[in-house]
Amino acid sequence: MIIRNIIGYFKFPKASLWIFGLMLLLILSRFAMLNVQNWNSGYISNGMPGPKLAIDSERYISAAENMSKGVALQGREYQFAGYIGLLAIIKTLNLSL
């Protein structure tokens, strides 16, 4: 419904909406396929399957652990509160990161 309202705002011809929808579907499908491929084989990034931890991963994970313990965010952690909150929910539910 929201997407229909956004697209309706620009008043595209009906044929353009179909083309736009197909292009969006193609882009999202390709994105999903590459992410699944990278998750399973690591072919695209470092050759190792599974999640990729980088330099700032520890900051987010430790902030999520602190958030789940009730400790307030500190410094730059406020800029990433949504992401850290999502990680905190995942860790609280004992799901794998």
Side-chain angles (χ1 to χ4, degrees):
M1 191 72 179
I2 293 172
I3 293 175
R4 186 181 302 166
N5 290 338
I6 292 170
I7 292 172
Y9 175 79
F10 293 106
K11 298 182 180 161
F12 291 114
K14 200 162 195 135
S16 296
L17 287 177
W18 281 102
I19 294 170
F20 174 77
L22 289 173
M23 291 299 294
L24 184 62
L25 181 64
L26 178 68
I27 290 168
L28 293 175
S29 298
R30 179 70 175 161
F31 176 77
M33 183 192 75
L34 289 174
N35 276 297
V36 168
Q37 217 174 36
N38 196 40
W39 179 273
N40 291 332
S41 67
Y43 172 74
I44 297 170
S45 58
N46 61 1
M48 298 174 62
K52 312 301 184 253
L53 299 177
I55 296 170
D56 55 354
S57 297
E58 181 57 38
R59 172 179 45 184
Y60 300 130
I61 293 171
S62 66
E65 289 171 351
N66 288 340
M67 182 183 271
S68 63
K69 294 175 187 172
V71 178
L73 297 175
Q74 302 168 5
R76 289 190 62 205
E77 294 173 352
Y78 282 105
Q79 295 174 347
F80 309 102
Y83 180 65
I84 292 170
L86 177 65
L87 291 177
I89 291 169
I90 291 171
K91 291 200 66 77
T92 302
L93 296 174
N94 291 324
L95 300 174
S96 174
L97 291 175

